[in-house]
Amino acid sequence: MLKAVGGTALAAALAGCSSLIGAGTNENDTGGTQNVPDEPIQAGLQTFTEGPASVLGLQAQYGAELAISRINEAGGVAGREIELDVKHEADAYVENYKQFVSEGKDVTFGPISSGGHAALAPEVEAQGVVNVATDGTVTTLYEETVPDPTYSFRFQNYDVMECVSAARETVNRLGAENVNTVAGINPNYAFGKDEWKVYTTALKKLTDVEIVHEGFPDLLADDMSTHITEVNNEQPDVTFSSQWGGDVVTLMNQAAANNMFENTQLVGTVLYSAVNDLSQDVVEQAQAFSGSRNYYWGEPEPSRWSPGQQLLDDARNQWDIVPSGHFMSGYGAVTAWATATQKAVDMLGGWPSQEQIAMSLEGHGFFTPAGYHVMSERHQGLSTSYYGEMEWSGDVGAPILTGVNSYTPQEVSPPPGTTAIDWIGSW
């Protein structure tokens, strides 16, 4: 049997800052060592590895790979290193998961897509191998699709959290009295429709806003000019968009070319997901407000937060990218599972079953370079979310967020037992 590594040491390695969480305070506390297999842990990740969606899919893959690298350098989970198998997500969410299970994977991660996650979650419950989704953030997943999950978890903040944050950010930036009309350009599937519904429901509670255009271009559409023309005709105070990855690039390039930014203020939940693919002239024209999910590399300043600096350096040195919230999706999903499993080993004195790992994940709190996260008893990850104005940085060679505001989970998520829409309706 292998010697286990203490939970605090593993957690310290993943957070990248041992002094904050007391690593090494009890070197004799090495956790459970009995009945731990010698074989490496086999993990599967499905994400977008090609095409326009890989703008964020590869970030999730790189984040997962960095977390696993740090786990293995620290001695593994209970002494077991992790080996990762990555599959292209495409539209094969359920098939990919079934193949992972048939191959004997100990854990699976992903997907990115909300529609894919809705299709996958019931199969996870049927197969009984824990899956921690990187994204797939549709609000109804744990309210309607799988209301009483056992094996299905999600690391990233879900739609209600980033849309309520977006509505509060809109009012904070512009003032409620200046938000009278709003248009939407959102992707034509579960995620885009869910985000538009939650954002406008929240914004109507905070202002007297009127909806003047609702546009839903197909995912990965190469022409959004019809919706841009509608925005230019209506000139709404705010245009909201939940476009992500390559679709952000298409929207903002075509909006700049057609002077849309002279007629409206663009607010987006994940515009920053395209940080590595936007050009300086478009960013400077747009002056858009964007969310960055539960991670922004500059908040707090890397000089004050060594785990953040370490992650930024690793991302830039290994992959030549500015890490986004989707990098943290991959990093955080792996970290949630690894630290919860190590905790279960320490408590049980041996390798836990899938059900015991799932029980350990419920209510589990853990650190990453983005700060402290909680996997709620409803299987939903809860973390602080970030919004700021996108500005071009010559030093970084990419957009940065300035004037960053943060929103805690308590401010932007419904209490246990309450659906998102009912909660917003109660304001």
Side-chain angles (χ1 to χ4, degrees), residues 116-265:
H117 199 187
L120 172 63
E123 185 65 24
V124 172
E125 294 304 306
Q127 296 274 2
V129 174
V130 169
N131 181 76
V132 183
T134 51
D135 294 272
T137 55
V138 65
T139 303
T140 52
L141 184 77
Y142 295 131
E143 292 182 354
E144 300 175 10
T145 307
V146 184
D148 187 23
T150 299
Y151 303 102
S152 171
F153 294 84
R154 173 168 57 195
F155 167 74
Q156 189 54 265
N157 291 349
Y158 62 140
D159 292 353
V160 62
M161 297 177 71
E162 61 186 14
C163 291
V164 169
S165 297
R168 296 195 187 282
E169 183 76 358
T170 301
V171 172
N172 288 341
R173 297 269 182 180
L174 303 179
E177 69 280 7
N178 297 318
V179 182
N180 298 305
T181 52
V182 62
I185 303 177
N186 295 278
N188 187 24
Y189 74 114
F191 170 73
K193 294 187 176 181
D194 188 52
E195 291 241 327
W196 174 241
K197 176 182 178 181
V198 177
Y199 175 77
T200 52
T201 301
L203 194 62
K204 285 180 179 178
K205 282 289 185 177
L206 300 173
T207 69
D208 295 323
V209 73
E210 174 190 0
I211 296 172
V212 296
H213 176 68
E214 298 175 293
F216 294 97
D218 289 339
L219 196 63
L220 310 182
D222 59 9
D223 184 359
M224 301 186 189
S225 59
T226 299
H227 307 289
I228 292 168
T229 298
E230 288 293 329
V231 170
N232 282 337
N233 289 338
E234 296 290 345
Q235 300 189 14
D237 296 318
V238 176
T239 296
F240 172 79
S241 180
S242 56
Q243 301 286 6
W244 50 270
D247 283 352
V248 172
V249 179
T250 301
L251 171 65
M252 293 187 65
N253 285 349
Q254 294 182 5
N258 290 280
N259 302 317
M260 189 187 89
F261 301 123
E262 296 177 4
N263 299 315
T264 191
Q265 172 63 59

Side-chain angles (χ1 to χ4, degrees), residues 241-245 248-249 251-252 266-275 278 288-292 390:
S241 180
S242 56
Q243 301 286 6
W244 50 270
V248 172
V249 179
L251 171 65
M252 293 187 65
L266 180 63
V267 176
T269 49
V270 281
L271 301 175
Y272 200 71
S273 63
V275 55
L278 292 171
F289 304 148
S290 176
S292 188
M390 292 175 67

Side-chain angles (χ1 to χ4, degrees), residues 47 62 91 114 153 195 247 384:
T47 187
Y62 299 155
D91 57 355
S114 286
F153 294 84
E195 291 241 327
D247 283 352
T384 298

Side-chain angles (χ1 to χ4, degrees), residues 20-41:
L20 292 180
I21 54 178
T25 54
N26 183 0
E27 294 182 353
N28 295 321
D29 181 10
T30 55
T33 59
Q34 301 176 20
N35 302 317
V36 176
D38 291 334
E39 297 81 14
I41 295 164

Side-chain angles (χ1 to χ4, degrees), residues 14 53 73 163 170 195 203 219 233 255 273 275 294 297 302 314 316 319 334 349 353 379 394 396 403:
L14 288 164
E73 288 174 1
C163 291
T170 301
E195 291 241 327
L203 194 62
L219 196 63
N233 289 338
S273 63
V275 55
N294 63 3
W297 60 268
D314 285 342
R316 304 218 73 175
W319 297 287
V334 170
S353 68
H379 292 213
V396 178

